[in-house]
Amino acid sequence: PSSEETIGLAKVLEQKYGVVVLPMNVMSANESEYEQVIVAILSQFSVRRIVLDMPQWMRVLSTDNYIIQDLTERLKRSTEGIEKMSDATRYVDDALSECEYADNVVTSDVNMGNGTVTFTFTPKSGLFFQILSAEAGTEITDEFSLMSYVSECAASSKRLGGMMDALDEADKCGYGIVKPQMGNMRLDEPQMVH
């Protein structure tokens, strides 16, 4: 199996049929060589599902977000020609690694039993704050500016708490009533007016 003629024939057969060819002497093969055969056979099974595992903050982004759209397009293009498990890691890994938003993309799991290939996407440093800035409409560059923004939002939310219902009503029927909060009301001693 290690002769040049056998190795050459194996390469020709691989090219001709598009499958893995493993030249081996089955009479003297050991356990690891048989394991290699099993893995080669399983790698020819079809892909059923490709999973892109990304940080939780990215999962909240809408499908309209430019990063999500870019990743989706790259996945679509790279998976068009994929039929076998052995193709998935090569094509998808390359397509996602070229993404300008990726720091690292690795094949984290290949489950040949159910045809699932999982890739873990690690975004570039600073992308989190870049997206936060875009979503918030203000510059957020670090944890300090993030905490400042959250504090401002919390204060605004407390001030506008009762007005949100009135605004929703105004959208529905044209007017809204702001109901006073108990903490905002003051009861004075009754006075007689003539």
Side-chain angles (χ1 to χ4, degrees), residues 50-52 54 58 63 65-82 87-105 119 121-122 124 127:
I50 292 179
V51 177
L52 182 61
M54 58 180 65
M58 288 184 76
T63 54
N65 183 279
Y66 62 97
I67 294 173
I68 300 301
Q69 285 182 340
D70 183 58
L71 290 173
T72 303
E73 281 304 310
R74 287 176 185 278
L75 276 173
K76 283 181 183 177
R77 280 195 312 266
S78 65
T79 57
E80 284 176 355
I82 295 177
D87 297 337
T89 54
R90 183 176 61 237
Y91 291 125
V92 177
D93 234 349
D94 290 346
L96 292 177
S97 295
E98 294 170 2
C99 178
E100 65 183 285
Y101 311 111
D103 183 39
N104 192 14
V105 179
F119 297 93
F121 177 86
T122 306
K124 280 192 174 176
L127 188 63

Side-chain angles (χ1 to χ4, degrees), residues 112-127:
M112 295 184 183
N114 64 13
T116 303
V117 182
T118 304
F119 297 93
T120 300
F121 177 86
T122 306
K124 280 192 174 176
S125 175
L127 188 63

